[in-house]
Coordinates of all heavy atoms in Angstrom, one line a residue:
G1 N 121.8 94.6 101.9 CA 121.2 93.3 102.0 C 120.6 93.0 103.4 O 119.5 92.4 103.4
E2 N 120.8 93.9 104.4 CA 120.3 93.7 105.6 C 118.9 94.5 105.7 O 118.2 94.4 106.8 CB 121.1 94.2 106.8 CG 122.3 93.3 107.1 CD 123.3 93.9 108.0 OE1 123.2 95.1 108.3 OE2 124.2 93.1 108.5
K3 N 118.6 95.3 104.7 CA 117.3 95.9 104.7 C 116.1 94.9 104.6 O 115.1 95.3 105.0 CB 117.2 96.8 103.6 CG 118.2 98.1 103.7 CD 117.9 99.2 102.5 CE 118.7 100.4 102.8 NZ 118.5 101.4 101.7
L4 N 116.4 93.8 104.1 CA 115.3 92.6 104.3 C 115.8 91.9 105.6 O 116.7 91.2 105.6 CB 115.5 91.8 103.1 CG 114.8 92.4 101.7 CD1 115.0 91.3 100.6 CD2 113.5 92.9 101.8
S5 N 115.0 92.1 106.5 CA 115.4 91.5 107.8 C 115.3 90.1 107.8 O 114.7 89.4 107.0 CB 114.5 92.1 108.9 OG 113.2 91.6 108.7
G6 N 115.9 89.5 108.9 CA 115.9 88.0 109.0 C 114.6 87.4 109.1 O 114.2 86.5 108.4
P7 N 113.6 88.0 109.9 CA 112.2 87.4 110.0 C 111.5 87.6 108.8 O 110.7 86.6 108.3 CB 111.6 88.4 111.0 CG 112.6 88.8 111.9 CD 113.9 89.0 110.9
I8 N 111.7 88.5 107.9 CA 111.2 88.5 106.6 C 111.7 87.5 105.7 O 111.0 86.7 105.0 CB 111.4 90.1 105.9 CG1 110.3 90.9 106.7 CG2 110.9 89.9 104.5 CD1 108.9 90.7 106.6
R9 N 113.1 87.4 105.6 CA 113.7 86.4 104.8 C 113.3 85.0 105.2 O 113.1 84.0 104.3 CB 115.2 86.5 104.9 CG 115.8 87.8 104.0 CD 117.2 87.8 104.2 NE 117.9 88.9 103.5 CZ 118.2 88.9 101.9 NH1 118.1 87.7 101.5 NH2 118.7 89.9 101.6
D10 N 113.0 84.7 106.4 CA 112.7 83.4 106.9 C 111.3 83.1 106.5 O 110.9 81.8 106.5 CB 112.8 83.3 108.5 CG 112.7 82.0 109.0 OD1 113.6 81.2 108.4 OD2 112.1 81.6 110.0
R11 N 110.6 84.0 106.1 CA 109.1 83.7 105.7 C 109.1 83.5 104.1 O 108.1 83.2 103.7 CB 108.2 84.9 106.0 CG 107.8 84.9 107.5 CD 107.2 86.2 107.9 NE 106.6 86.1 109.3 CZ 107.3 86.1 110.5 NH1 108.6 86.4 110.4 NH2 106.7 86.2 111.7
I12 N 110.1 83.7 103.4 CA 110.3 83.4 102.0 C 110.6 82.0 101.7 O 111.4 81.4 102.3 CB 111.4 84.4 101.3 CG1 111.1 85.8 101.7 CG2 111.4 84.1 99.9 CD1 109.8 86.3 101.1
D13 N 109.8 81.5 100.9 CA 110.0 80.0 100.5 C 111.1 79.7 99.7 O 111.9 78.8 99.7 CB 108.7 79.5 100.1 CG 107.6 79.6 101.0 OD1 107.5 78.8 102.0 OD2 106.7 80.5 100.8
V14 N 111.1 80.5 98.5 CA 112.1 80.3 97.5 C 112.9 81.5 97.2 O 112.5 82.6 97.1 CB 111.4 80.0 96.1 CG1 112.4 79.7 95.0 CG2 110.5 78.7 96.4
V15 N 114.2 81.4 97.2 CA 115.2 82.5 96.9 C 115.9 82.1 95.6 O 116.6 81.1 95.5 CB 116.3 82.7 98.1 CG1 117.1 83.7 97.6 CG2 115.6 83.1 99.3
Q16 N 115.7 82.9 94.6 CA 116.2 82.7 93.2 C 117.1 83.7 92.8 O 116.8 84.8 92.4 CB 115.0 82.5 92.4 CG 115.5 82.3 90.8 CD 116.3 80.9 90.7 OE1 115.8 79.9 91.3 NE2 117.4 81.0 89.9
P17 N 118.5 83.4 92.8 CA 119.5 84.3 92.2 C 119.3 84.4 90.7 O 119.2 83.3 90.1 CB 120.7 83.8 92.7 CG 120.5 82.3 93.0 CD 119.1 82.2 93.4
M18 N 119.5 85.6 90.2 CA 119.5 85.8 88.7 C 120.7 86.5 88.2 O 121.2 87.4 88.9 CB 118.2 86.3 88.2 CG 117.0 85.6 88.6 SD 115.4 86.6 88.1 CE 115.6 86.7 86.4
L19 N 121.4 86.0 87.1 CA 122.5 86.7 86.5 C 122.3 86.9 85.1 O 121.4 86.4 84.4 CB 123.7 85.8 86.7 CG 124.2 85.5 88.1 CD1 125.3 84.6 88.1 CD2 124.7 86.8 88.8
P20 N 123.0 88.0 84.6 CA 122.8 88.1 83.0 C 123.2 87.0 82.3 O 124.1 86.2 82.7 CB 123.9 89.3 82.7 CG 124.0 89.9 84.1 CD 124.0 88.9 85.2
M21 N 122.6 86.7 81.1 CA 122.7 85.4 80.4 C 123.9 85.6 79.4 O 124.0 86.7 78.7 CB 121.5 85.1 79.7 CG 120.4 84.6 80.7 SD 118.8 84.5 79.6 CE 118.5 86.2 79.4
T22 N 124.7 84.6 79.2 CA 125.8 84.7 78.2 C 125.1 84.3 76.9 O 124.0 83.9 76.8 CB 126.8 83.5 78.5 OG1 126.2 82.2 78.5 CG2 127.5 83.8 79.9
K23 N 125.8 84.6 75.9 CA 125.2 84.4 74.5 C 125.0 83.0 74.2 O 123.9 82.7 73.8 CB 126.3 85.0 73.5 CG 125.9 84.9 72.0 CD 126.9 85.4 71.1 CE 126.4 85.3 69.6 NZ 127.4 85.8 68.7
S24 N 125.8 82.1 74.6 CA 125.7 80.7 74.3 C 124.4 80.2 75.2 O 123.6 79.4 74.6 CB 126.9 79.8 74.8 OG 127.3 80.0 76.1
Y25 N 124.3 80.5 76.3 CA 123.1 80.2 77.2 C 121.9 80.7 76.6 O 120.8 80.0 76.5 CB 123.4 80.7 78.5 CG 122.3 80.2 79.6 CD1 122.3 78.9 80.2 CD2 121.2 80.9 79.9 CE1 121.3 78.4 81.1 CE2 120.1 80.6 80.8 CZ 120.3 79.3 81.3 OH 119.3 78.9 82.1
L26 N 122.0 82.0 76.2 CA 120.7 82.6 75.6 C 120.3 81.9 74.4 O 119.1 81.7 74.0 CB 120.9 84.1 75.4 CG 119.7 84.9 74.8 CD1 118.5 84.8 75.8 CD2 120.1 86.3 74.7
T27 N 121.3 81.5 73.6 CA 120.9 80.8 72.3 C 120.3 79.5 72.6 O 119.3 79.1 72.0 CB 122.2 80.6 71.5 OG1 122.8 81.8 71.2 CG2 121.9 79.9 70.2
E28 N 120.8 78.7 73.6 CA 120.2 77.5 74.0 C 118.8 77.7 74.5 O 117.9 77.0 74.2 CB 121.1 76.8 74.9 CG 120.5 75.4 75.4 CD 121.4 74.8 76.6 OE1 122.3 75.4 76.9 OE2 120.9 73.7 77.0
A29 N 118.6 78.8 75.3 CA 117.4 78.9 76.1 C 116.2 79.3 75.0 O 115.0 79.0 75.2 CB 117.5 80.0 77.2
L30 N 116.6 80.0 73.9 CA 115.6 80.4 73.0 C 114.9 79.3 72.3 O 113.8 79.5 71.8 CB 116.1 81.5 72.1 CG 116.6 82.9 72.5 CD1 117.3 83.7 71.4 CD2 115.4 83.6 73.1
G31 N 115.6 78.1 72.3 CA 115.1 77.0 71.8 C 114.0 76.2 72.7 O 113.6 75.3 72.2
R32 N 113.9 76.7 73.9 CA 113.2 76.0 74.9 C 112.1 77.0 75.4 O 111.9 77.0 76.7 CB 114.0 75.5 76.1 CG 115.1 74.5 75.5 CD 116.1 74.2 76.6 NE 115.5 73.6 77.8 CZ 116.0 73.3 78.9 NH1 117.4 73.6 79.0 NH2 115.5 72.7 80.0
V33 N 111.5 77.7 74.6 CA 110.5 78.7 75.1 C 109.1 78.0 75.3 O 108.6 77.2 74.5 CB 110.3 79.9 74.0 CG1 109.1 80.8 74.3 CG2 111.6 80.5 73.8
E34 N 108.5 78.3 76.5 CA 107.2 77.8 76.8 C 106.3 78.9 77.1 O 106.7 79.9 77.8 CB 107.4 76.8 78.0 CG 108.0 75.5 77.8 CD 107.9 74.6 78.9 OE1 108.2 75.2 80.0 OE2 107.6 73.5 78.8
S35 N 105.1 78.9 76.6 CA 104.1 79.8 76.8 C 103.5 79.8 78.3 O 103.6 78.7 79.0 CB 102.9 79.8 75.8 OG 102.1 78.7 76.0
T36 N 102.7 80.8 78.6 CA 102.0 80.8 80.0 C 101.0 79.7 80.0 O 100.8 78.9 81.0 CB 101.4 82.2 80.2 OG1 102.4 83.2 80.5 CG2 100.4 82.1 81.4
A37 N 100.4 79.3 78.9 CA 99.3 78.2 78.9 C 99.9 77.0 79.1 O 99.3 76.1 79.9 CB 98.5 78.3 77.6
V38 N 101.1 76.7 78.6 CA 101.8 75.4 78.7 C 102.1 75.3 80.3 O 101.9 74.2 80.9 CB 103.0 75.2 77.8 CG1 103.8 73.9 78.1 CG2 102.6 75.2 76.4
V39 N 102.7 76.2 80.8 CA 103.3 76.1 82.2 C 102.1 76.1 83.1 O 102.0 75.3 84.1 CB 104.2 77.2 82.6 CG1 104.7 77.1 84.0 CG2 105.5 77.3 81.7
A40 N 101.0 77.0 82.9 CA 99.8 76.8 83.6 C 99.1 75.6 83.7 O 98.6 75.2 84.7 CB 98.9 78.0 83.2

């Protein structure tokens, strides 16, 4: 974790942790799919 130094981390605006999805969460998420065009 320290390979990304403090000065570099301090220049990052958004830190987003990601975890593997559970079956129930994935089932719910598949019903809320948005294309690039919609988000853009």
Side-chain angles (χ1 to χ4, degrees):
E2 290 175 347
K3 289 186 177 182
L4 291 179
S5 69
I8 289 294
R9 287 181 177 271
D10 198 44
R11 286 165 168 79
I12 302 299
D13 301 285
V14 178
V15 179
Q16 177 59 46
M18 297 175 64
L19 293 172
M21 292 171 292
T22 63
K23 181 179 179 180
S24 58
Y25 184 84
L26 181 60
T27 301
E28 177 188 358
L30 290 177
R32 300 171 60 184
V33 174
E34 290 183 316
S35 67
T36 291
V38 172
V39 179

